[in-house]
Amino acid sequence: MASLLSPKVLPILMLLASNVFMTFAWYGHLKFKSAAIYTVVLVSWGIAFFEYWLAVPANRIGAEVYSTAELKTIQEVITLGVFAVFSVVYLKEALTWNHLAGFALIACGAALIFRA
């Protein structure tokens, strides 16, 4: 359990959770296209409030052991993973080979950030 609370692991878990909230805030309303835009904006802001309560402390904690570029890279890779699952499971959209190839290229770029 102590390893989950370490500054190397906890920020990643918190960024994962924050990205779930943010993905719903940004894209969840697409299932409710008849809802008024002001409604979906206000609901999205409410969801994003919880995302910020996870992302900001995650970055503060993570800055103890990761550079800012590494933190941003971790966040972007998590975002792609969460988005891929979200789009397939929640929005029922297929991931095509070009989506996967693009994500793989982004992952390769992310790997360069962590190369010492």
Side-chain angles (χ1 to χ4, degrees):
M1 183 66 163
S3 64
L4 290 178
L5 300 177
S6 76
K8 278 198 170 271
V9 177
L10 183 60
I12 294 170
L13 297 175
M14 292 174 75
L15 287 171
L16 179 64
S18 77
N19 269 278
V20 171
F21 280 106
M22 193 48 105
T23 301
F24 272 97
W26 285 6
Y27 302 103
H29 63 88
L30 295 177
K31 281 188 104 172
F32 306 97
K33 293 181 182 186
S34 63
I37 193 68
Y38 70 87
T39 301
V40 296
V41 167
L42 290 173
V43 170
S44 292
W45 278 351
I47 295 169
F49 173 81
F50 296 102
E51 184 268 342
Y52 272 74
W53 273 102
L54 290 164
V56 172
N59 286 312
R60 172 88 42 114
I61 295 165
E64 294 177 28
V65 293
Y66 298 112
S67 71
T68 307
E70 290 171 335
L71 282 168
K72 182 60 179 170
T73 303
I74 292 166
Q75 188 269 330
E76 292 299 334
V77 170
I78 290 170
T79 296
L80 285 175
V82 169
F83 178 78
V85 171
F86 176 86
S87 65
V88 170
V89 173
Y90 185 77
L91 295 177
K92 307 292 187 218
E93 294 181 0
L95 286 179
T96 61
W97 73 267
N98 57 317
H99 296 136
L100 297 174
F103 291 168
L105 290 172
I106 292 169
C108 288
L112 289 174
I113 299 294
F114 289 92
R115 188 160 172 86

